[in-house]
Amino acid sequence: MSVDVLLGLQWGDEGKGKIVDVLTQNYDIIARFQGGPNAGHTLEFDGEKHVLHTIPSGIFHKTSANVVGNGVVIDPVIFKKEVENLLTHKVDVKQSLLISRKAHLILPTHRLLDAASEKAKGKDKIGSTLKGIGPTYMDKTGRNGLRVGDIELESFYERYQMLRKKHEQLLSHYDFAYQQDLQTMESEWMEAIAYLKELTLIDSEHFIHEALRAQKTILAEGAQGSLLDVDFGSYPFVTSSTTTCAGSCTGLGVAPTKIKRVFGIFKAYCTRVGSGPFPTEIDDEYGRGMQDKGHEYGSTTGRPRRCGWLDLPALKYAIEINGVTDLIMMKGDVLSGFDQLKVCTGYTYRGTQIDHLPYSTEEGELQPVYTELEGWQEDLTLLNSLENAPDAFKKYIQFVEEETGVPVSIVSVGPDRAQTIELRSVTRG
Ligand code: GDP
Ligand code: IMO
Ligand code: MG
């Protein structure tokens, strides 16, 4: 059997959690392939809202296994809290949550290094979620990291102390007080490590290969978005992992030839949380209107998300990098009430018209060129088929399909599981 991938095409928070939850009924296994607790994936059903950070978004379905892949970085303290919360919802985590031994661990000192580094950058800070993501991936590629499988070794404590010492040396180069915090953080972390040891740890790549041989269906769940990818995002204002489709290969041990459908998810507008270029950002009452109506505040940090118009050249760039086969358009309901909607279809770059994202997207050098589309006034949140949708909404979807050459297979019109319209079959087989 093959693997399908679902990933974000913008700067994260597109609605991945909601759609993975909706699609889980079609898959035996949901597998997160990168990122860590910097992610916040929101699911809403039965009048309740759940936010997952490290755990795959299929976890509320009894029928699927949920794998935390080797490409993920785990903070045991946050992980423990997530698991404890799931237990209150009667999720059988021991059975349905499987953790890769090759996933890397976020240490308390990784978090401190993240904070120290951001503070030292001053006004040039990345706007990191301060979960220790950057320093942990640096230790992974620098071949210093500790992995989940290490907690089963007798030498674990010793190895932990060695890495902590290295980190303390690094921290001493910063003007950053941390000693008091570290003791409390460390004891909480050690407790969480003991908790993690009791969960189900697996050699995840073997598990996935066996599942493929047994004709099982797998959905790989991405975190963040393509424009935050460490290679293809708006560097250096990115995260430290491969958020694009290639990340599902390295983050799960899946061969590229095994990937079939790639679901690319985007908001009908754009948001970004943290620093960095955002060509279509609107810093006026329209932007604030989107922020209020779309409840655009970070699921992990609570920070307000910057809002802007849909950016088609950026979307096309993400579609190409990922080989997207199906688009999923989220939050069209938030755009109800605008007379006119703007969609960016190109840029003026240093005085010349271009239709792609250039290397440098520094403020002042790149201005969006907009096409205006008619807006719609109707509330879309009760819509259950496109037939009854306002014409202007249908035209908006059609415009995206024509411009990108990729079909929109799902449209989401509200945060709840039920507020989802399938336009094209997304069932496997
Ligand atoms: P993720 O990180 O990609 O999983 O997205 P987040 O959960 O961080 O942010 C998406 C937010 O939009 C969450 O609060 C969702 O509940 C909400 N949401 C998802 N789809 C829709 C939609 O179609 N309409 C509206 N109004 N909200 C949505
Ligand atoms: P989900 O999976 C939105 C952003 C941060 C910051 C940059 C680097 O919920 O879509 P990091 O903590 O990784 O060092 O931060 O990336 N960022 C996200 N923005 N959604 C996310 O995840 C994000 N994860 C990281 O705001 O600008
Ligand atoms: Mg999010």
Side-chain angles (χ1 to χ4, degrees):
M1 234 358 176
S2 53
V3 178
D4 290 344
V5 180
L6 182 140
L7 44 76
L9 297 178
Q10 296 163 324
W11 283 284
D13 302 330
E14 296 89 349
K16 299 173 290 291
K18 168 183 164 160
I19 297 298
V20 169
D21 172 58
V22 168
L23 294 181
T24 297
Q25 57 183 339
N26 302 332
Y27 295 91
D28 300 306
I29 297 168
I30 308 298
R32 237 310 269 281
F33 61 85
Q34 45 67 236
N38 50 348
H41 295 180
T42 315
L43 286 65
E44 274 191 50
F45 52 88
D46 301 338
E48 257 194 278
K49 179 169 156 172
H50 308 269
V51 182
L52 297 166
H53 300 287
T54 326
I55 292 176
S57 303
I59 197 72
F60 289 99
H61 294 254
K62 288 195 170 56
T63 49
S64 69
N66 285 262
V67 176
V68 178
N70 58 279
V72 176
V73 290
I74 298 177
D75 181 330
V77 177
I78 296 175
F79 201 79
K80 176 171 177 268
K81 284 188 190 141
E82 277 194 78
V83 171
E84 282 170 346
N85 181 50
L86 289 174
L87 291 174
T88 67
H89 289 88
K90 310 244 176 315
V91 175
D92 182 1
V93 279
K94 189 84 192 156
Q95 188 71 26
S96 61
L97 181 63
L98 312 170
I99 306 148
S100 174
R101 289 197 173 88
K102 291 197 171 88
H104 276 246
L105 291 170
I106 302 176
L107 271 58
T109 38
H110 282 133
R111 286 174 54 194
L112 294 172
L113 281 165
D114 209 3
S117 157
E118 278 286 82
K119 185 171 171 248
K121 282 187 170 147
K123 67 172 180 39
D124 295 325
K125 69 175 186 196
I126 311 284
S128 159
T129 58
L130 302 179
K131 302 293 178 197
I133 304 296
T136 306
Y137 279 115
M138 277 165 73
D139 269 343
K140 175 178 176 172
T141 52
R143 297 157 299 176
N144 293 313
L146 285 180
R147 299 185 291 177
V148 167
D150 295 337
I151 69 179
E152 296 173 313
L153 306 178
E154 266 182 33
S155 58
F156 176 68
Y157 190 69
E158 203 182 308
R159 293 164 77 144
Y160 167 81
Q161 289 300 346
M162 269 170 61
L163 188 52
R164 176 194 137 147
K165 217 171 183 182
K166 239 183 219 174
H167 289 165
E168 287 206 272
Q169 274 165 5
L170 288 173
L171 282 163
S172 69
H173 295 289
Y174 291 98
D175 172 23
F176 188 75
Y178 65 88
Q179 284 295 355
Q180 260 189 334
D181 297 340
L182 183 55
Q183 275 192 358
T184 327
M185 288 164 87
E186 199 169 57
S187 60
E188 213 186 354
W189 194 82
M190 287 297 174
E191 231 177 79
I193 286 287
Y195 191 86
L196 188 59
K197 234 177 177 171
E198 299 305 312
L199 298 174
T200 311
L201 311 183
I202 61 163
D203 296 336
S204 55
E205 65 278 26
H206 299 298
F207 175 83
I208 284 175
H209 298 157
E210 269 181 27
L212 286 171
R213 275 194 291 274
Q215 305 299 312
K216 296 238 166 97
T217 51
I218 301 177
L219 179 67
E221 174 180 1
Q224 288 81 53
S226 303
L227 304 178
L228 288 172
D229 180 87
V230 67
D231 281 277
F232 299 107
S234 40
Y235 194 87
F237 300 100
V238 294
T239 190
S240 298
S241 65
T242 299
T243 61
T244 45
C245 196
S248 65
C249 298
T250 57
L252 295 173
V254 163
T257 47
K258 293 281 185 231
I259 293 172
K260 198 172 176 195
R261 277 173 105 163
V262 180
F263 295 105
I265 181 163
F266 70 103
K267 280 180 189 165
Y269 49 98
C270 281
T271 63
R272 173 162 206 169
V273 59
S275 327
F278 184 177
T280 63
E281 182 168 15
I282 33 181
D283 195 11
D284 59 18
E285 75 272 19
Y286 285 105
R288 281 184 288 280
M290 281 180 197
Q291 197 175 67
D292 283 350
K293 195 154 179 223
H295 304 291
E296 296 297 359
Y297 297 91
S299 315
T300 297
T301 57
R303 290 179 293 175
R305 295 177 184 145
R306 299 153 64 192
C307 293
W309 300 111
L310 182 61
D311 186 337
L312 283 179
L315 192 68
K316 286 192 227 174
Y317 170 76
I319 287 172
E320 284 199 40
I321 284 169
N322 293 300
V324 172
T325 59
D326 298 71
L327 286 169
I328 300 180
M329 190 176 96
M330 310 298 287
K331 299 191 106 164
D333 55 297
V334 174
L335 294 184
S336 295
F338 287 92
D339 290 333
Q340 292 285 315
L341 297 169
K342 288 187 187 176
V343 176
C344 169
T345 45
Y347 311 109
T348 306
Y349 180 60
R350 297 178 180 168
T352 311
Q353 296 269 322
I354 57 167
D355 61 3
H356 66 276
L357 266 178
Y359 175 75
S360 164
T361 48
E362 288 303 310
E363 215 177 308
E365 291 200 315
L366 188 79
Q367 286 90 33
V369 175
Y370 289 112
T371 298
E372 295 220 350
L373 299 181
E374 197 192 326
W376 55 88
Q377 304 305 315
E378 295 86 340
D379 174 13
L380 303 183
T381 56
L382 295 176
L383 209 63
N384 51 21
S385 108
L386 209 58
E387 268 169 44
N388 316 319
D391 278 345
F393 182 57
K394 287 189 218 168
K395 280 190 191 145
Y396 194 87
I397 297 170
Q398 209 179 344
F399 188 73
V400 172
E401 289 184 325
E402 282 167 7
E403 287 283 317
T404 60
V406 181
V408 173
S409 296
I410 294 178
V411 167
S412 167
V413 290
D416 195 274
R417 221 184 231 176
Q419 292 169 301
T420 312
I421 307 170
E422 196 176 311
L423 307 182
R424 187 169 169 256
S425 174
V426 287
T427 322
R428 292 298 306 260

